Amino acid sequence: MVTITLLVLLISWTTFLVNIITIKQSQNLIIMEENNRPMPSLRVGSFNCNGLGNRNKRDVVLRWLKNKPEEIILLQETHTTSSTEEDWKKSWDGEILFNHGTSNSTGVNFLFKRNTNIKICEHKIIEQGRTSLVEIEYESIKYCLVNLYCPNNNETSVVENTFTEALGRSRDDYLIFGGDWNTVLNNQVDKEGGNPSHSNSLRQTYLNQAMADYGLSDILRLVKGDVSLYSHINKQHKTRTRLDFFLIDDNLVNFPTCTSDISHGFSSDHSYVTLTIQGSGTERGKGYWKLNNSQHTLLTNSLLMVSVKLFVKQRTRATTRFQGCGM
């Protein structure tokens, strides 16, 4: 009796999810037809440029970035100082938000293309030369973008302080973290060569826990699955790792388009990472529900799992017999 009840609940829940997906797809089509114009899209790039203190390299790299379609670009390891701000502004046709490092280390900048209708509301430096956030509004949607360049060591203070500042604000926006995290999220699919595990394991553990606690998603993995993709190559140690990525508010995943990709970098050993968000989500409430796979009793109920396997097996046999009769 218990088994039958669980099966009925499972089938009902599956049917409910299918109906929701169908309704969501229909709504997206209706939005496109009623507006008769493309839905607004926000395109963001992230790139560790390996230092742009040299004027010639800076001009060439910024010219390369100008040709990218992204309206906002998060730069790491810029090597900017207050004395080089004017030179940067001459080379970039748009707004620049600086977080200076030194002439030969750190530094993170936000680059905005001109004429994008993006309203910059507030810029805040969290960790000098390491992390900054900017609150923006675009097409009546509010976002908070956080730019990180984590140190290459096995500590978590920089990323912890950054999460505390970003999450501790009075929020009515969507959070987007991007940059060079100097660790990987998954040793199996984000790393090749060298030791089996990344050396900065404490930050790796913290990030994975923070994603579960704060409702954040590794959007590239949601889109690409377990395909081997890397953003950094170390020729000396013969390793390839995905150190550069976006972590985004779970609610953004429900937008009609939400995707991420990795492409070749320029004059750097890091790749160029992109995030594209198009359309708008449903009206936001005070919070949202997220399944905790490690603790949810339905997923750990052995009776339920056995029942599901039996149900699938029986349905497969029935389908096979039906197809055989039709031949």
Side-chain angles (χ1 to χ4, degrees):
M1 186 65 183
V2 175
T3 301
I4 294 174
T5 303
L6 289 171
L7 283 175
V8 171
L9 288 173
L10 179 64
I11 294 169
S12 300
W13 178 246
T14 304
T15 303
F16 172 75
L17 289 177
V18 171
N19 290 336
I20 290 296
I21 293 171
T22 302
I23 293 171
K24 179 67 177 177
Q25 291 173 338
S26 300
Q27 287 175 340
N28 292 344
L29 291 174
I30 292 172
I31 290 172
M32 289 295 293
E33 291 170 358
E34 289 180 349
N35 292 341
N36 198 28
R37 65 183 179 88
M39 291 180 288
S41 63
L42 179 70
R43 294 168 295 188
V44 184
S46 179
F47 183 52
N48 182 324
C49 55
N50 281 171
L52 295 181
N54 179 278
R55 182 191 299 269
N56 293 331
K57 179 183 177 181
R58 179 172 63 245
D59 289 345
V60 172
V61 171
L62 291 182
R63 193 178 308 122
W64 174 74
L65 290 171
K66 287 178 185 178
N67 293 323
K68 293 291 183 181
E70 287 69 41
E71 295 90 0
I72 306 173
I73 299 169
L74 284 56
L75 278 185
Q76 302 88 40
E77 204 176 351
T78 57
H79 297 183
T80 63
T81 64
S82 57
S83 62
T84 61
E85 279 192 20
E86 291 304 315
D87 291 334
W88 273 74
K89 292 176 181 178
K90 292 177 182 177
S91 299
W92 182 256
D93 186 24
E95 186 76 21
I96 306 177
L97 302 179
F98 295 94
N99 179 358
H100 297 306
T102 70
S103 60
N104 59 7
S105 68
T106 66
V108 293
N109 292 353
F110 288 100
L111 304 182
F112 291 82
K113 300 282 183 69
R114 188 177 294 277
N115 301 322
T116 57
N117 296 321
I118 295 174
K119 178 183 177 181
I120 300 174
C121 302
E122 183 177 353
H123 174 231
K124 181 177 182 179
I125 294 174
I126 302 173
E127 295 271 347
Q128 190 65 47
R130 290 289 183 184
T131 60
S132 299
L133 68 78
V134 60
E135 296 175 355
I136 65 169
E137 185 171 341
Y138 178 61
E139 296 289 347
S140 301
I141 303 176
K142 297 178 181 180
Y143 303 91
C144 176
L145 278 66
V146 184
N147 190 359
L148 303 96
Y149 175 42
C150 295
N152 189 15
N153 57 36
N154 196 22
E155 60 84 37
T156 62
S157 60
V158 170
V159 72
E160 285 190 56
N161 291 341
T162 302
F163 273 65
T164 299
E165 287 288 339
L167 292 160
R169 299 169 302 115
S170 177
R171 293 182 55 201
D172 62 346
D173 51 29
Y174 294 103
L175 260 175
I176 298 173
F177 294 87
D180 177 1
W181 302 81
N182 259 315
T183 193
V184 300
L185 293 175
N186 187 313
N187 292 318
Q188 280 66 50
V189 295
D190 294 332
K191 186 180 186 302
E192 181 182 86
N195 295 325
S197 301
H198 197 276
S199 58
N200 298 340
S201 58
L202 291 180
R203 189 178 306 135
Q204 178 189 79
T205 300
Y206 175 83
L207 286 177
N208 278 285
Q209 187 61 51
M211 290 168 62
D213 291 344
Y214 304 131
L216 300 170
S217 292
D218 176 7
I219 181 59
L220 186 132
R221 281 291 164 225
L222 288 182
V223 174
K224 303 292 185 180
D226 291 340
V227 175
S228 296
L229 293 168
Y230 311 103
S231 67
H232 180 258
I233 297 176
N234 189 317
K235 294 182 179 179
Q236 179 181 356
H237 296 98
K238 298 180 180 180
T239 60
R240 297 194 297 174
T241 48
R242 188 170 70 98
L243 306 178
D244 311 84
F245 49 87
F246 287 98
L247 297 181
I248 67 170
D249 191 320
D250 278 343
N251 291 284
L252 289 172
V253 177
N254 296 321
F255 277 45
T257 298
C258 185
T259 187
S260 182
D261 210 345
I262 298 176
S263 60
H264 292 294
F266 183 79
S267 194
S268 171
D269 56 2
H270 286 258
S271 298
Y272 184 72
V273 184
T274 60
L275 171 69
T276 301
I277 302 166
Q278 188 175 37
S280 61
T282 55
E283 184 178 350
R284 301 189 67 188
K286 294 183 179 180
Y288 53 88
W289 176 82
K290 183 177 181 180
L291 177 67
N292 187 330
N293 291 341
S294 63
Q295 298 178 7
H296 202 278
T297 56
L298 278 177
L299 298 183
T300 57
N301 188 300
S302 58
L303 177 59
L304 175 62
M305 297 307 294
V306 171
S307 301
V308 170
K309 289 178 181 179
L310 178 60
F311 174 76
V312 172
K313 188 175 182 179
Q314 291 173 341
R315 293 295 298 172
T316 302
R317 287 177 178 173
T319 303
T320 303
R321 287 199 299 269
F322 178 78
Q323 290 175 343
C325 292
M327 294 297 290

